Amino acid sequence: MILPVHALIRARIQEGLTRAFGLAPAGQPAIVLETPPRRAFGDVAVPVAFELARRLKKAPRVLAQELQAAVGSIDGVTRVDAAPNGYLNLFLDRAAHLRTWLRPAPAPSASISTDKVIVEHTAINPNKAAHIGHLRNATLGDTLVRLLRFQGHPVEVQNYIDDTGVQVADVVVGFTELEGRSLDAVRAIANDPAVRFDYYCWDLYARVTEWYEADKARLDVRARALHAIEEGGNAIADMGAFIADRIVRMHLRTMARMNVDYDLLTWEGDILRLHFWATAFDDLKARNAVFLQTEGKLKGCWVMPIEDGGPADPDAADDAEQREKVIVRSNGTVTYVGKDIANQFWKFGLLGRDFYYRVFEKRDGHPLWATTSEPGQAQGVPKFGRARAVYNVIDSRQSYLQQLLKQALATMGFTEQAERSTHFSYDMVALSHATARALGYEDAESQGRAFVEVSGRKGLGVKADDLLDRLVETAEREVASRNPETPAADRRRTAEIIAVAAVRYFLIKFTRGKVIAFDIDEALSFEGETGPYLQYAAVRAGNILAKLEERDGVSASAVVARLSALPADALGAGDDGDELWGIVLEAARLDEIADVSVRSLELSVLAKYAFGLAQAFNAFYHRQPILKEEREDVRLWRAAAVVYVRAQLAKALELMGCEVPARM
């Protein structure tokens, strides 16, 4: 695609700078490549002469002319012009590049690091059903994983399971205190085919919250349950472990519907049982990164001093708490911060300890691994952890915690790891009022606001599976109206593919710092900036090629094979040739867009690009028909462009976790 072309151009210009001006590579300015405002000015514009003008005391126009002579010819470039304004304009060999880009993709560039990257995402509390906010986390995380792998990075995908947290303790309290149930009774509910256990726990969790609010003294029951779960080896801990295991399995099924998968489930309980925190705690104490507070409200707590200019705790009651973060409570229990510090150290291979591992379940024939505290349960375990870089996909409310993780790494002397510890943050997902009403949910407190906010703790919101079911049903009606002859099973599968694209694209297309008000009708529309619109463009491209093969007996592969013997006049300068080349060149930018998306951590860049490519394709084929074109060479070059655009559009959709259905 386009990045190898850019790399070659930069290398040749650097050589030209050395020849023309005696500048060693280390002393050269960065070679910026721009897109000219008009196709007549070329395909790539290089403004390096402006960077050199002051240093070399020459006009940009003169420098551009001297550089043009020094650069000479470049493979794949038909012309290098020194523009009067000082730009160096390059014209690519259109036919040669299209032929090249239509060949099978080469292996990833050798310049890509082979060091592992860990991406942790989803991390839903295992106490109730997943909701739409969790879908944004998983969608962003999974798309980041796909982009990194597309670039050639080895990626390990982790899903952190907080099985010893307060949310699991709350559901245990609900079963034991509100319903008086034993573990056997909870198992019976979970095994009842008429009961959705994650939905049952959703409602129970909301009831427990109300129970606490009615009498704050009941929070002592929660504290005792939490301590029992952390301690282990008792009935409360056994119930918590069962609930977490069963809910996680249901979460995995929900995420599988979204085309989201993982390599490792990291269970928080194992961090405690294997004394990861104890090891990290000893190291932190040895480096004076934490200390025992002996006075004030935090007396008896182990705290981490917040460095000057460090993160500000949004929950701190006063300046004293703002300057110190509790890591171990006065009763000896570890806060989530402490457990996360230990886990972050392990991810980078800095802890000196490791988990044991077990196969949690098989997914598409491949094992999904999970941590365990018990040795000798699995053979052939991959080497987990020991990453060069870590991305934690967590919403923006956790920014304070993530900054503390970086501070802990830096305080321990692991400055490089601190720099490569990245918080991939995002804002909340709400619902449009129309969607909230359609799903039978409207929060009275949201009246007068632009969106309806959800709250799992209050039991208010939309469960992810309910949302997906509604989208599938709506999409299936649309597919049936357009393709009434299609078998019911095929209609259902197409509807599922469309529904997933509708959700995933909607959750990606907004900048991650923006609050999203999800709207079913907007997401499912076949027109506008939606996943189904992109899918429809790809399907339409496929239909054009299928009709060409049916009519002329020329398959897509045959079109590509015949290009070498065709004159390239159809790609020549002029309105039609420029438009044809323009759609090809835009499709070739996918690797550039992937690079920008990863470097900026703004995945909406990919979504906007894919939408623009689909729009450009729809405009192109209306203005330059393929099947009605009488000139064979022109028809085949246009068909070749359709082959390439369809492949790139399908790949862009794949990077966003979306498929292209056979028909729509």
Side-chain angles (χ1 to χ4, degrees), residues 459-530:
L460 302 174
V462 176
K463 303 174 185 72
D465 283 310
D466 285 350
L467 176 66
L468 289 169
D469 289 344
R470 175 60 68 95
L471 286 162
V472 170
E473 291 169 5
T474 305
E476 189 171 10
R477 288 195 295 269
E478 180 68 19
V479 172
S481 69
R482 292 169 179 252
N483 303 282
E485 76 290 349
T486 303
D490 292 345
R491 289 202 303 266
R492 183 71 177 183
R493 178 57 187 148
T494 298
E496 290 170 348
I497 292 172
I498 293 171
V500 170
V503 175
R504 290 192 60 135
Y505 187 85
F506 197 99
L507 296 177
I508 294 171
K509 73 176 182 177
F510 297 99
T511 56
R512 57 191 174 90
K514 181 180 177 62
V515 175
I516 294 176
F518 187 86
D519 185 86
I520 287 178
D521 292 338
E522 180 183 345
L524 270 178
S525 175
F526 281 37
E527 299 294 333
E529 192 178 352
T530 69

Side-chain angles (χ1 to χ4, degrees), residues 306-314 322-323 399-405 407:
I306 306 304
E307 300 171 349
D308 291 340
D313 186 351
Q322 190 70 259
R323 294 192 299 270
S399 295
Y400 173 67
L401 165 62
Q402 293 299 307
Q403 291 179 69
L404 283 178
L405 298 186
Q407 178 182 313

Side-chain angles (χ1 to χ4, degrees), residues 25 39 75 113 115 244 249 269 273 305 315 317 363 452 468 526 546 584 624 664:
R39 187 65 59 202
D75 288 343
S113 171
D115 293 332
R249 294 181 189 277
R273 288 185 288 271
D315 299 319
R363 292 164 69 81
V452 179
L468 289 169
F526 281 37
V584 170
Q624 298 197 39
M664 290 182 70

Side-chain angles (χ1 to χ4, degrees), residues 178-208:
L178 273 66
E179 299 189 347
R181 298 187 189 275
S182 66
L183 176 55
D184 287 341
V186 174
R187 282 199 182 100
I189 294 172
N191 293 330
D192 185 345
V195 176
R196 275 289 304 260
F197 187 63
D198 54 345
Y199 283 30
Y200 188 100
C201 291
W202 173 290
D203 295 334
L204 182 58
Y205 182 55
R207 289 168 53 204
V208 170

Side-chain angles (χ1 to χ4, degrees), residues 173 210-223:
V173 169
E210 294 176 352
W211 188 69
Y212 292 145
E213 291 175 349
D215 184 354
K216 297 299 183 182
R218 292 168 176 168
L219 291 172
D220 290 340
V221 180
R222 168 200 274 176

Side-chain angles (χ1 to χ4, degrees), residues 15 35 46 87 106 272 302 369 411 417 454 496 521 533 598:
E15 294 170 4
T35 301
V46 185
Y87 273 90
L272 296 174
W302 283 89
W369 294 90
T411 301
Q417 288 83 356
V454 300
E496 290 170 348
D521 292 338
Y533 176 80
V598 170

Side-chain angles (χ1 to χ4, degrees), residues 147-292:
L147 284 165
L148 288 166
R149 286 176 172 163
F150 175 68
Q151 291 186 312
H153 296 283
V155 183
E156 179 176 301
V157 188
Q158 297 184 6
N159 184 357
Y160 187 85
I161 311 300
D162 184 5
D163 58 321
T164 63
V166 67
Q167 289 80 10
V168 172
D170 284 346
V171 176
V172 171
V173 169
F175 277 120
T176 56
E177 299 294 325
L178 273 66
E179 299 189 347
R181 298 187 189 275
S182 66
L183 176 55
D184 287 341
V186 174
R187 282 199 182 100
I189 294 172
N191 293 330
D192 185 345
V195 176
R196 275 289 304 260
F197 187 63
D198 54 345
Y199 283 30
Y200 188 100
C201 291
W202 173 290
D203 295 334
L204 182 58
Y205 182 55
R207 289 168 53 204
V208 170
T209 300
E210 294 176 352
W211 188 69
Y212 292 145
E213 291 175 349
D215 184 354
K216 297 299 183 182
R218 292 168 176 168
L219 291 172
D220 290 340
V221 180
R222 168 200 274 176
R224 291 194 297 271
L226 183 62
H227 188 76
I229 288 172
E230 289 187 354
E231 187 176 81
N234 55 73
I236 292 295
D238 291 344
M239 183 180 291
F242 173 80
I243 292 168
D245 180 271
R246 186 58 63 93
I247 296 291
V248 166
R249 294 181 189 277
M250 304 189 83
H251 288 168
L252 291 174
R253 287 200 290 273
T254 300
M255 294 305 157
R257 297 181 69 182
M258 291 283 291
N259 300 325
V260 175
D261 206 351
Y262 313 91
D263 298 312
L264 178 68
L265 305 180
T266 308
W267 292 73
E268 182 173 274
D270 295 321
I271 292 175
L272 296 174
R273 288 185 288 271
L274 291 171
H275 307 295
F276 277 25
W277 164 243
T279 300
F281 191 31
D282 288 343
D283 289 343
L284 289 166
K285 286 188 289 186
R287 298 290 186 100
N288 295 319
V290 296
F291 71 93
L292 181 64

